[in-house]
Amino acid sequence: YAFYRCSMLSGTFDLSGLSSIHTYAFAECGANGSGVDAILFGNTLNTIESSAFASARLEGMELFIPSSVERIEENAFFATHIAGVTIDNSSDEIVVDDNVFPAGIVPVYTILAVNGDETIDGITSIHDAVAAGGCVTLQQDVVLSQPLVIETDVILTSDDARTLISNRDGEVSNLIVIREDASLTLQGNLTLSARYVSGPAILCEGTFNLADAVVIKDGLNTTVIDVYGEEASAFVRGGSIESNKLSNDYCAPVRIRDGAKLVMTGGKIQNNSLIGLVNTSSAGVLVNEGGTFIMSGGDIQDNHGVRGSGVMVYNRDQADSIAKFIMTGGSIHNNTSSGGSGVDQASGAVHVEGYALFELKEDGIICENQAIGGMGGGVCVVDPGIQRDGQADQTAFKMTGGTISGNNAQSGGGIYSYTDDVVL
């Protein structure tokens, strides 16, 4: 009852520090004033108790309920005249009691509820279908209880919007494993949700193709697509890799290592973020020892990290396995890096360090990126050998074409270099 019937309350309610909002806490607020403009809930919020905002003047408001909320009790927003509500969760991970919202208001959930089975049509096992090879069309959402193993050439597609996800028990390590000499193409209107897997959503030793309107999203903590080995290749021609929130060392939405290759000619890697000061990971693409990334099209945009928020080319140890990024087209733009001090200081959209090479040619564009309080808003090149004892680690940046413009940082808005091998 903290602010019960405080009829003149108005403005923005910042409730971001609360873990629960108690019964009748804001009921009938603002009834005689100008009303409440906005309500800000934080990620610490667990419960909204019964009638917490009942009959408060929230007219026309769009509510956003964070994923931390586990229960909304009855009548919490009854008779508030809100315009809509979005719940950043799935309907099977939050309890919403009866009569929570005004009549006619149906909450929109950002995450698919985990319902379904391991069949493509209610009958045929998806595991049997991919084992036979060829084109496999999903006619319903699929919930996996074990990884989908690709051992031949498979096209996985759908005409209507369908989702592939694992069950919630946390025992599924990967959604898809692509064996050496096998290939998988994802196309059509598929969505892969990595929300519940404990490892990379896609583990690739063979060939992976991403096309059309496919979306790969919801990864938590670790790499989403891990491509590794001399025989491994990934081709991004369309689709989107997005909305992944990662926190582990040496991870990214896409990681290329141990001789593998990534070729990007279209599609988007966007709206991904790193949680915490993780300075060996990227919110876009991470190229490690022996990996090669060739970009001639597509967009890497709106990602948020610490170093290399768009692309990190990072190989501190293996002199005979240079990590390479060759950009001839496409765009890396509107990415943001923010960090701390020292080794955690932010660096640009493209970060190159150690036994690593970045070549910018022809029509590649790196623009409107920023490293807040950091170095090299567009490109940051650091040779740790020169920093350490003056003995170069072969860190190189060669720009023979392309555009670097409109980037921002504390030191070197466009380019920051601490190496002896830069050609412009």
Side-chain angles (χ1 to χ4, degrees), residues 13 26 43 47 53 68 91 100 110 128-130 141 205 218 224 239 271 275 290 299 302 341 363 377 421:
F13 289 3
F26 296 94
N43 290 323
T47 305
F53 295 91
S68 59
S91 60
V100 165
T110 62
D128 292 342
V130 300
D141 297 330
E205 296 179 277
D218 297 335
V224 180
N271 297 316
I275 309 301
D299 298 282
D302 301 315
S341 59
D363 300 317
D421 194 358

Side-chain angles (χ1 to χ4, degrees), residues 337 340 345-346 371-375 408-411:
S337 299
Q345 190 173 12
I372 299 172
M375 309 167 293
N408 183 270
Q410 179 175 299
S411 302

Side-chain angles (χ1 to χ4, degrees), residues 308-313 325 332 348-352 358 366 376-381:
S309 51
V311 179
M312 174 175 276
V313 193
F325 175 31
I332 301 174
V350 179
H351 181 93
V352 187
F358 173 36
I366 301 173
V379 178
C380 179
V381 189

Side-chain angles (χ1 to χ4, degrees), residues 30-189:
N32 296 327
S34 59
V36 181
D37 298 327
I39 300 175
L40 305 179
F41 299 118
N43 290 323
T44 58
L45 186 61
N46 180 266
T47 305
I48 303 175
E49 294 182 3
S50 61
S51 301
F53 295 91
S55 299
R57 188 173 178 182
L58 311 181
E59 196 164 343
M61 187 181 298
E62 294 280 348
L63 293 176
F64 182 83
I65 308 296
S67 60
S68 59
V69 175
E70 296 180 359
R71 183 171 184 176
I72 308 175
E73 296 181 357
E74 61 182 357
N75 299 318
F77 295 94
F78 183 74
T80 53
H81 302 289
I82 60 173
V85 58
T86 298
I87 299 177
D88 190 21
N89 215 326
S90 63
S91 60
D92 55 358
E93 289 205 356
I94 181 173
V95 176
V96 179
D97 289 351
D98 295 335
N99 300 317
V100 165
F101 304 110
I105 298 298
V106 178
V108 175
Y109 293 91
T110 62
I111 298 169
L112 173 78
V114 181
N115 298 307
D117 55 27
E118 292 188 283
T119 67
I120 62 174
D121 54 10
I123 300 172
T124 307
S125 162
I126 190 170
H127 299 284
D128 292 342
V130 300
C135 186
V136 177
T137 301
L138 297 192
Q139 299 177 37
Q140 63 175 30
D141 297 330
V142 173
V143 180
L144 296 172
S145 62
Q146 58 183 318
L148 198 60
V149 179
I150 309 299
E151 298 183 305
T152 184
D153 298 330
V154 176
I155 298 172
L156 196 60
T157 187
S158 65
D159 297 323
D160 300 319
R162 303 297 182 198
T163 297
L164 182 70
I165 192 171
S166 67
N167 60 31
R168 291 192 298 154
D169 62 16
E171 295 180 358
V172 181
S173 55
N174 315 105
L175 287 179
I176 298 172
V177 177
I178 306 170
R179 300 295 192 203
E180 191 173 316
D181 297 326
S183 70
L184 172 66
T185 298
L186 297 180
Q187 62 185 44
N189 291 310

Side-chain angles (χ1 to χ4, degrees), residues 248-297:
N248 291 351
D249 290 325
Y250 299 100
C251 73
V254 185
R255 184 185 183 191
I256 310 298
R257 58 189 176 96
D258 299 329
K261 180 172 67 174
L262 169 66
V263 178
M264 186 173 184
T265 58
K268 299 181 186 297
I269 300 174
Q270 61 183 350
N271 297 316
N272 303 289
S273 58
L274 295 183
I275 309 301
L277 296 177
V278 189
N279 62 25
T280 58
S281 298
S282 173
V285 176
L286 175 60
V287 187
N288 286 141
E289 58 280 351
T292 299
F293 176 24
I294 301 171
M295 182 178 183
S296 61

